[in-house]
Amino acid sequence: MVNIQVETYKQWRTQARELLYRQIPPEDVHWQVDQQSNLLFSEDDTDFLELPIKQKTISIPKAFLELAKPVCHHRDNSRWGLLYSIAWRLVFEDKHLLNFDIDPQIAKAMSMRKSIGRDIHKMEAFVRFRKTPCASSPEKDYFIAWFEPEHYIVPLVVSFFTRRFSNMHWSILTPDRCLHWDTKQAWQTEGVTRPEGLHDELEELWKAYYKNIFNPARLKLKAMQSEMPKKYWVNLPEAPLIGELTRQSMFRTEKMMTNTSSEINNRKLKLK
Amino acid sequence: MKTLHKLAILADAAKYDASCASSGSIKRDSKKGKGIGSTSGGMGICHSYTPDGRCVSLLKILLTNFCIYDCSYCINRSSSDVQRARFSVEEIVNLTLDFYKRNYIEGLFLSSGIIQSSDYTMEQLVSVAKTLRKTHDFRGYIHLKTIPDASPELLQQAGLYADRLSINIELPSKKSLKQYAPEKDPSTIHQSMTQLKDHIDESKESRTQKKSAVTVTRRSGEKKKSLVYSPAGQSTQMIVGADESSDKKILTLSHYLYNKYSMRRVYYSAFSPIPDASAVLPIKSPPLMREHRLYQADWLLRFYGFNVNEISENNSANDGMLDLEIDPKLAWAINHREFFPVNINTATREDLLRVPGIGAIGASRIIQSRNFRRLRYQDLKKIGVSVSKVSAFIETQDHTPKQLDSQYLRQSFVKQENQQLSLFN
Ligand code: SF4
């Protein structure tokens, strides 16, 4: 049994390559997820790099690396093993494997990639910055957001947020990792717990907008929830309004439908 | 009046516009700029959803809801007793920037009631966009609703700052427009759409030319500037259910608008009850299902190779209305059973697209997978095709449809559809 611990796509790729050179099959590799399981295996842990190289060249399709890259950010611990197993099959069994959407492993990897894509999309959509005075230079505006992504996707959203908010100072805090930007450079730090007391006066305007852009005559609650699931609501300033708006909407619609218009009222008045 | 109060009034007045899309522009970011903002070049982002299930992508507001016109379907018409407000250019600019900095929005969708004159109003709209772009180097999305009778010079300017321009066609027929929006002139609407199309085409051409002309300009040493005009094109909106027009009439008009003006989107807006509604129009709940079916039909027209007649001649009454109980593709299939079964392993892409339950992605996956081996019925599920829908219309080696000739075929689908819809309401 070979024991391997990796944390990033790059590390995984390097290790996978070495394993393939030595033709070590997936069932002989144990991909560790944390330090603890290390203890269990430490006894018969051998350095596989000392094993002889059996395969001089391996070719892995680019499409696979493009699949592996996002999947490495999935929270499911089986990801490293799954990807190695697919790589193995691509090299030694069938180089067209990726075309079989119906293969269970391919299907699983694809669905993991989809879930990553969705998570990135939701993070880009639902991060909410709050303006806070900057401690060191109070004349500068500083923006902080707290977000809880489903997967380890912070490295995958760097480009989006820095391209968009290039000339602002900001931090996005998450339980896994934090991302910071000072108008010139981005850097990441360890995850933190939810900060207390973030507040921004502007949220009153945003809530007023949210309340009024909603048409009560078109209530479709389930459609809304499928796009904006409840798990995101805790961090959205507008979410507390949803209940009240929904409750009132029947009443408001009915009122619009029974209200005789001012034209008719005016006409009635004139008749009197 | 405080900004908060104005925002409440002028967002409320804007909510009857169906579009909130921020898609289809060119790719930009603010890395080398002084301001903020970016666009992806593809789809925009929905930053929130309201309880009506609609996407909130842009700050969608009116400059003012004062209006000298009196269109019966509109909450802002001069005879309505709604509370009025007016934003200053600066207020809108600040709101847009403040919202954008918090990641609430992709940009601004600005329209307005008509005050003083069309040109005066249009000037104000352009001035908002210009200030955002020039003074603040704002690189997010801007959609301007264009006043159709504004001068050509103003329309020309608007496109220099906006990502998308739109002029609403409002109603499906000239007759209804005359009846319900007597001050609006259909021929002006069409003229302005033509003008926008010309500018948009011209700018597209200049951009492709610029790419190919790089080497030439390098040699001659002169800088050629390509003109960016409304890069996300133009769109329009039609109100559905305020007048008597049939779906066939509506789709025929859409088809015309897509072809003639290269519209990026035609939006359908179910006529919605409004506070203080005009007495000449029906007061009823908005025909949301009809609106939904029109969007499905619109999709079939644009991406699935259907024509208007095929789509709108499938209900038993033959009145040019879409079947509300089942989707238009299914309705067509049930009325054209001679076309089926379609063989999954041999059919062309075009024919696959005619099968209810197989969309563009499904068709591509089928074609890709069958390159390598014959597909069995069970494989379809794994590809992500909804088997319950397609099973009646396709054949594979191990499957022949049983119900294809059944007189209860439609009924069985109505049941399925109802179950699905109840999930969403
Ligand atoms: S011109 Fe526009 S804002 Fe004015 S009444 Fe007509 S539709 Fe409404």
Side-chain angles (χ1 to χ4, degrees):
Chain A
M1 198 53 138
V2 173
N3 259 316
I4 293 180
Q5 183 167 6
V6 292
E7 271 167 9
T8 63
Y9 163 74
K10 265 196 186 145
Q11 291 170 354
W12 173 85
R13 197 183 53 185
T14 315
Q15 299 287 9
R17 207 165 262 157
E18 298 300 334
L19 289 165
L20 290 170
Y21 283 142
R22 290 165 181 79
Q23 291 187 2
I24 301 171
E27 51 282 11
D28 290 350
V29 185
H30 179 257
W31 297 89
Q32 281 173 214
V33 287
D34 50 40
Q35 302 298 335
Q36 211 171 19
S37 53
N38 207 356
L39 301 172
L40 290 171
F41 288 89
S42 52
E43 287 159 33
D44 65 337
D45 200 8
T46 49
D47 188 356
F48 79 94
L49 289 173
E50 285 162 16
L51 298 171
I53 289 179
K54 293 186 185 158
Q55 184 93 5
K56 288 257 160 56
T57 55
I58 46 168
S59 81
I60 291 183
K62 213 175 141 218
F64 171 67
L65 296 179
E66 275 159 19
L67 173 68
K69 223 177 194 170
V71 169
C72 286
H73 296 266
H74 202 282
R75 208 174 278 277
D76 184 339
N77 287 332
S78 70
R79 63 193 184 282
W80 307 114
L82 173 76
L83 289 171
Y84 181 61
S85 178
I86 295 174
W88 173 272
R89 292 171 64 204
L90 278 167
V91 173
F92 297 112
E93 288 168 17
D94 181 358
K95 62 175 183 214
H96 295 299
L97 182 66
L98 285 182
N99 291 315
F100 292 112
D101 294 5
I102 48 185
D103 177 272
Q105 285 192 328
I106 301 295
K108 174 145 194 224
M110 298 265 191
S111 100
M112 285 165 94
R113 170 166 65 183
K114 206 167 162 192
S115 156
I116 293 284
R118 189 175 155 89
D119 202 29
I120 293 174
H121 193 75
K122 293 298 177 197
M123 181 162 181
E124 290 170 357
F126 298 148
V127 154
R128 297 282 185 263
F129 283 116
R130 291 169 161 114
K131 190 163 103 177
T132 353
C134 180
S136 52
S137 39
E139 74 285 354
K140 258 191 238 143
D141 287 338
Y142 177 49
F143 292 83
I144 300 184
W146 164 252
F147 194 76
E148 292 159 275
E150 198 176 328
H151 303 292
Y152 305 113
I153 56 165
V154 170
L156 301 178
V157 297
V158 177
S159 141
F160 173 83
F161 285 105
T162 54
R163 284 176 67 242
R164 175 160 289 198
F165 303 106
S166 316
N167 293 298
M168 283 162 45
H169 296 251
W170 49 262
S171 294
I172 299 174
L173 314 177
T174 89
D176 307 310
R177 213 182 256 247
C178 302
L179 174 62
H180 315 272
W181 175 256
D182 66 356
T183 74
K184 282 177 194 73
Q185 262 187 342
W187 69 98
Q188 293 176 33
T189 54
E190 301 229 314
V192 293
T193 52
R194 186 193 178 86
E196 292 300 322
L198 284 184
H199 175 75
D200 189 331
E201 272 172 28
L202 207 92
E203 283 173 10
E204 293 315 310
L205 284 170
W206 172 239
K207 286 198 241 173
Y209 177 65
Y210 184 81
K211 229 190 237 174
N212 286 286
I213 202 67
F214 155 63
N215 184 351
R218 300 182 56 112
L219 189 70
K220 268 192 211 161
L221 214 49
K222 289 240 169 76
M224 178 272 283
Q225 280 189 25
S226 82
E227 295 295 347
M228 196 163 83
K230 278 197 174 153
K231 66 174 177 193
Y232 295 111
W233 292 14
V234 286
N235 298 319
L236 295 172
E238 66 272 26
L241 299 170
I242 293 170
E244 182 197 333
L245 289 175
T246 309
R247 275 192 298 280
Q248 287 176 0
S249 66
M250 278 274 270
F251 169 73
R252 284 171 67 193
T253 312
E254 230 160 74
K255 203 171 138 210
M256 286 193 281
M257 311 240 296
T258 48
N259 235 0
T260 39
S261 76
S262 53
E263 271 169 61
I264 303 175
N265 288 336
N266 290 344
R267 245 177 272 153
K268 278 186 199 148
L269 283 176
K270 272 179 206 151
L271 282 177
K272 277 180 202 164
Chain B
M1 201 186 279
K2 273 196 178 156
T3 306
L4 184 86
H5 195 184
K6 289 186 192 176
L7 178 62
I9 295 171
L10 294 169
D12 186 88
K15 73 182 166 203
Y16 302 97
D17 233 302
S19 163
C20 198
S22 54
S23 55
S25 194
I26 41 177
K27 198 170 170 164
R28 288 193 296 260
D29 65 48
S30 42
K31 281 227 156 143
K32 289 204 178 100
K34 289 196 279 301
I36 46 166
S38 64
T39 46
S40 71
M43 295 290 286
I45 297 172
C46 292
H47 286 277
S48 192
Y49 290 83
T50 38
D52 46 14
R54 292 213 278 191
C55 156
V56 182
S57 184
L58 301 170
L59 170 63
K60 180 162 62 173
I61 45 172
L62 263 53
L63 175 85
T64 176
N65 64 342
F66 285 103
C67 191
I68 51 175
Y69 283 12
D70 200 37
C71 312
S72 343
Y73 49 82
C74 178
I75 184 175
N76 308 318
R77 68 191 189 285
S78 56
S79 64
S80 154
D81 71 351
V82 70
Q83 196 181 7
R84 310 279 171 172
R86 179 179 171 178
F87 273 132
S88 69
V89 169
E90 201 193 341
E91 268 175 312
I92 300 177
V93 168
N94 289 339
L95 262 180
T96 308
L97 294 172
D98 280 341
F99 276 19
Y100 200 92
K101 283 180 187 166
R102 271 100 182 149
N103 202 36
Y104 299 159
I105 52 168
E106 292 290 286
L108 173 70
F109 177 0
L110 186 62
S111 64
S112 182
I114 295 167
I115 34 172
Q116 292 184 31
S117 70
S118 295
D119 275 355
Y120 175 77
T121 314
M122 193 65 209
E123 247 172 55
Q124 294 275 305
L125 296 179
V126 171
S127 157
V128 170
K130 187 174 175 179
T131 311
L132 276 169
R133 294 281 194 238
K134 294 265 158 169
T135 314
H136 300 277
D137 196 12
F138 176 67
R139 303 193 180 178
Y141 198 91
I142 299 181
H143 178 163
L144 287 185
K145 175 77 81 53
T146 313
I147 315 283
D149 350 312
S151 74
E153 292 73 39
L154 284 167
L155 295 191
Q156 155 75 35
Q157 274 197 42
L160 301 180
Y161 309 114
D163 288 283
R164 172 167 286 179
L165 297 172
S166 63
I167 300 173
N168 284 358
I169 192 95
E170 308 289 11
L171 292 162
S173 78
K174 285 186 185 163
K175 198 178 125 216
S176 328
L177 196 67
K178 206 168 169 195
Q179 192 176 354
Y180 299 125
E183 292 112 328
K184 287 195 175 167
D185 177 6
S187 61
T188 320
I189 293 178
H190 285 271
Q191 267 162 26
S192 298
M193 285 177 173
T194 310
Q195 196 199 333
L196 297 190
K197 178 184 162 37
D198 290 345
H199 287 313
I200 291 165
D201 287 351
E202 203 183 310
S203 112
K204 244 193 230 151
E205 217 165 275
S206 82
R207 271 177 285 156
T208 42
Q209 263 176 11
K210 197 195 174 190
K211 268 186 205 149
S212 57
V214 170
T215 43
V216 181
T217 31
R218 243 185 232 147
R219 231 173 277 148
S220 63
E222 64 183 84
K223 253 197 184 162
K224 220 180 180 179
K225 223 180 154 193
S226 76
L227 172 81
V228 178
Y229 184 95
S230 190
Q234 63 172 324
S235 65
T236 190
Q237 171 171 288
M238 221 185 298
I239 298 166
V240 173
D243 67 348
E244 297 297 307
S245 303
S246 71
D247 292 336
K248 185 171 181 174
K249 173 128 206 165
I250 290 170
L251 292 169
T252 309
L253 177 59
S254 299
H255 185 68
Y256 176 84
L257 293 166
Y258 281 123
N259 285 324
K260 175 101 179 172
Y261 307 118
S262 318
M263 285 289 164
R264 295 292 274 269
R265 280 298 290 277
V266 175
Y267 288 94
Y268 306 96
S269 172
F271 179 59
S272 171
I274 44 177
D276 191 33
S278 158
V280 300
L281 283 165
I283 299 183
K284 55 183 184 197
S285 350
L288 295 179
M289 186 44 88
R290 186 176 174 202
E291 179 193 278
H292 178 60
R293 295 292 181 227
L294 279 167
Y295 276 115
Q296 290 178 318
D298 180 281
W299 203 256
L300 294 181
L301 284 182
R302 288 190 293 150
F303 305 116
Y304 284 75
F306 283 80
N307 66 45
V308 175
N309 286 343
E310 280 178 313
I311 296 173
S312 54
E313 283 169 1
N314 291 311
N315 78 4
S316 47
N318 217 354
D319 52 2
M321 297 300 275
L322 296 171
D323 193 328
L324 289 182
E325 290 184 308
I326 51 176
D327 72 74
K329 194 164 152 191
L330 186 56
W332 177 83
I334 288 173
N335 281 287
H336 293 85
R337 298 191 208 183
E338 71 285 352
F339 186 82
F340 300 98
V342 164
N343 187 305
I344 289 296
N345 284 299
T346 58
T348 59
R349 184 187 163 81
E350 229 178 1
D351 286 356
L352 284 173
L353 285 177
R354 294 246 156 184
V355 179
I358 298 182
I361 296 175
S364 302
R365 287 197 180 157
I366 288 170
I367 290 169
Q368 196 188 33
S369 304
R370 75 185 185 192
N371 273 335
F372 300 95
R373 71 165 203 233
R374 293 188 82 70
L375 292 175
R376 288 162 305 145
Y377 182 64
Q378 283 309 322
D379 295 333
L380 290 175
K381 216 185 259 168
K382 296 182 200 148
I383 292 179
V385 169
S386 102
V387 196
S388 64
K389 214 166 191 180
V390 301
S391 77
F393 302 102
I394 53 136
E395 63 181 4
T396 53
Q397 236 156 13
D398 58 337
H399 173 85
T400 24
K402 289 177 203 73
Q403 321 96 300
L404 194 52
D405 297 321
S406 158
Q407 58 184 48
Y408 302 112
L409 188 58
R410 181 176 176 282
Q411 241 172 317
S412 72
F413 279 113
V414 171
K415 249 192 225 152
Q416 268 186 35
E417 190 98 342
N418 280 341
Q419 275 163 2
Q420 266 193 6
L421 286 173
S422 67
L423 275 177
F424 271 90
N425 285 321

